Amino acid sequence: VRYVLPRYFVQRNGWFIKGLEPNGETWSDMSAPEALKEWVPSYLQGLMEERLGERGTSLHELAVVAAALEDLIDLEARGRMKTAFKIHGLPLTGPITEAQAREVVDTYYVMFLLAGNFSASNREDALMKRESFALGYTGWNEANTWMQDLLKPRMSQAEYNFEKTARMVEDIGEEYFRFNDMECRDLKVTLSEMEGNK
């Protein structure tokens, strides 16, 4: 469990899940603030290891834990999307316009890039903070273009609502590592060229 699950999530989605590192720490070893964010992976991992003891874990049991973690990650994304809807004053039930869908997804994306460390009191505040973030975020144009391209097929719908936009942001979480990997490779090439010019 301690080695297979982290590797699975990194290879499949580029996810490094806090609390699921193969470093031997358990939930009880963490300080209170860390524990609040990281207790679920550690708790599940510890439960499995305690329950299974020396006999090890079957592939089926690993798949169950992986599915549970993916569900929790999806719930977190939906929670952030609900927060974005609330900030924008949009209903969780009923239709919204395409312009509203674009705005709320853009706000979610900034929340995603900031690992949830984003707050705004209303739509105007969110738009101002998003603009400020975009100005200070190195590579914003590329990151925003990637996101817009990723969501382009879903943004051609006739109708938008919370459920449809929540599915859009799941795509961001599942695919972002591909963009991030591309950025890392570009940086590596740039640094190698700089080193070669010395």
Side-chain angles (χ1 to χ4, degrees), residues 51-88:
R51 183 174 163 256
L52 300 171
E54 297 292 319
R55 86 167 169 88
T57 305
S58 73
L59 186 57
H60 174 75
E61 291 161 335
L62 279 173
V64 168
V65 172
L69 288 171
E70 284 181 332
D71 285 347
L72 290 169
I73 291 164
D74 288 344
L75 284 173
E76 181 181 3
R78 291 177 71 79
R80 285 185 185 166
M81 195 59 175
K82 281 182 182 178
T83 300
F85 262 67
K86 182 178 177 184
I87 289 169
H88 283 264

Side-chain angles (χ1 to χ4, degrees), residues 15 19 141 156 166 182 186:
W15 294 344
N141 291 334
S156 59
M182 188 172 54
D186 289 347

Side-chain angles (χ1 to χ4, degrees), residues 6 8 17 25 38 58 91 122 140 156 158 165-166 171 183-185 187 198:
Y8 167 77
I17 300 175
E25 278 190 4
E38 302 173 10
S58 73
N122 56 40
W140 169 252
S156 59
T165 56
D171 290 350
E183 274 191 323
C184 289
R185 288 181 195 182
L187 180 59
K198 287 184 178 182

Side-chain angles (χ1 to χ4, degrees), residues 8-183:
Y8 167 77
F9 286 115
V10 167
Q11 288 181 349
R12 184 168 178 265
N13 298 93
W15 294 344
F16 291 92
I17 300 175
K18 291 180 182 177
L20 196 60
E21 301 91 353
N23 62 5
E25 278 190 4
T26 65
W27 178 59
S28 59
D29 296 335
M30 294 183 200
S31 65
E34 283 181 315
L36 289 175
K37 278 275 194 191
E38 302 173 10
W39 75 271
V40 174
S42 295
Y43 178 73
L44 287 174
Q45 179 178 307
L47 258 179
M48 281 194 70
E49 290 172 355
E50 180 183 304
R51 183 174 163 256
L52 300 171
E54 297 292 319
R55 86 167 169 88
T57 305
S58 73
L59 186 57
H60 174 75
E61 291 161 335
L62 279 173
V64 168
V65 172
L69 288 171
E70 284 181 332
D71 285 347
L72 290 169
I73 291 164
D74 288 344
L75 284 173
E76 181 181 3
R78 291 177 71 79
R80 285 185 185 166
M81 195 59 175
K82 281 182 182 178
T83 300
F85 262 67
K86 182 178 177 184
I87 289 169
H88 283 264
L90 299 174
L92 294 178
T93 58
I96 62 172
T97 67
E98 180 179 342
Q100 290 170 322
R102 287 183 184 279
E103 269 189 8
V104 77
V105 168
D106 287 348
T107 296
Y108 171 87
Y109 189 45
V110 171
M111 293 169 91
F112 175 83
L113 293 173
L114 291 170
N117 190 16
F118 179 89
S119 64
S121 55
N122 56 40
R123 177 183 172 269
E124 291 73 28
D125 190 26
L127 295 175
M128 185 182 69
K129 287 181 177 180
R130 262 188 13 221
E131 186 176 325
S132 176
F133 174 80
L135 291 172
Y137 186 82
T138 304
W140 169 252
N141 291 334
E142 295 83 1
N144 192 44
T145 299
W146 171 84
M147 190 263 301
Q148 299 297 332
D149 289 346
L150 175 71
L151 299 181
K152 195 177 292 182
R154 290 190 185 248
M155 290 305 270
S156 59
Q157 302 173 21
E159 186 179 300
Y160 299 90
N161 59 34
F162 175 78
E163 288 303 321
K164 289 181 180 182
T165 56
R167 283 193 293 274
M168 286 183 205
V169 301
E170 285 175 9
D171 290 350
I172 293 170
E174 291 173 2
E175 297 295 326
Y176 183 76
F177 79 100
R178 296 180 201 287
F179 171 72
N180 193 44
D181 187 51
M182 188 172 54
E183 274 191 323

